[in-house]
Amino acid sequence: MTSAEPVGLRRDPKSSSRATLLELFFDVFYVAAFAQLSMELAEHSTWSGLGQGLVLLLAVWWTWSVTAIVTEFYDPRLRVIQGVVASAMFGVALMAVAVPSAYEGRGLLFASAYVGLHLVRGALLVGALRPRRAHAREERFLFWFVISGVLWLAGGFVDPAWRVGLWAGALAVDYMATALRHPTPRLGRVPLDQYNQLSVHFGERYQQIAILALGELTLMATLTFASEAHTPARAAVFLIAIATALLFWQIYVLQSNTLVDRSAHWRPRQAVRLAPYVYAGVVTGVIATSAGVELVLHEPLGPTTPTSWVALIVGGPVLFVLGRMSSEYVLLGQLPRSRVGWLVLLLGLTPVLSAQAPIVVLIVTMGVLFGITLTDARRNRHH
């Protein structure tokens, strides 16, 4: 199925790379979702709590990445595509509302919103695409979301102790089906050549959600600091949090235009297939960092306990940098040894940091990020 897609619905790769206002409005709904997820990770910062929060985070992320594919593949100015985006807004809003109690009384609400979002999108697209061979792509997606939807909804009904296992299995189905190109009975897999046509708009959309996530980090740091009693230690943590956001931005923007251009014109297939997974690491890293900052603002000078706190404070930046490095490796063939060295150093210091006050862990982590930006700048000047 290469030329069977209806021309009237397909997005013109040469059209404007700017996101529509509706797409930007859609992204705003993720501010609330990311903030809820950050607070959830901070409030339940045990190892089991982090695992539960990660499942919710990856589910919320998947709703954005799949919708971004739709507005890249189809023209977002069309009414049916606008209907898909608008319906997704309701789903994201309901998921955000359910996040704090997703493993208690609102599990079914979270699962229903997630499943409903995907099924409504699939039904709208299959209904709009004619002839039958044209909507085979969306039938594949819908088939697999029905399968994972059974697990999601079952998890909403069962005892919370079993919920995380069912939802993790459902997530595995969603992520693996996409990685395998949605193999479906009678239809087969999505043809590889359908991934070859990509516009600059795709890279721009991912840049926008990354910057939005960084905005969530600064927002939560500001709100948490404002709600706590002001002390010199908390003031220092707040300033470190803002500096960390700026360092994240500096690491992210390096070669960003080159990456967008390469994804659209040189390696579109790799970009469109790997972006959802690579940016899952980037976004998760920022939200984990935000949760870690919130914990440190509450107790900057106390003990760093439980040890899962270190996983948030240190692991967040590590995930962010690894996600960005993955983009550079896939699209540019670059794997900077300096960044690898800094990350190895930070991870090697983790046992020592576990015995330090939270503010010390945060300072050391920021120092490593600062070191990465310095070596990045030196490497950039050399090239």
Side-chain angles (χ1 to χ4, degrees), residues 206-222:
Y206 273 87
Q207 284 187 344
Q208 287 158 4
I209 197 65
I211 297 302
L212 189 74
L214 291 178
E216 187 277 335
L217 170 58
T218 60
L219 172 66
M220 293 307 299
T222 302

Side-chain angles (χ1 to χ4, degrees), residues 1 3-7 125-126 128-136 139:
M1 191 182 80
S3 61
E5 296 293 346
V7 176
L125 289 174
V126 169
L129 293 170
R130 292 291 185 271
R132 173 178 170 77
R133 61 180 181 174
H135 56 62
E139 284 183 335

Side-chain angles (χ1 to χ4, degrees), residues 14 22 40 48 74 81 139 149 203 259 268 289 337 350:
K14 298 179 181 179
L22 185 62
E40 180 71 10
S48 61
Y74 302 111
I81 305 305
E139 284 183 335
L259 287 167
T289 302
R337 288 179 294 178
T350 299

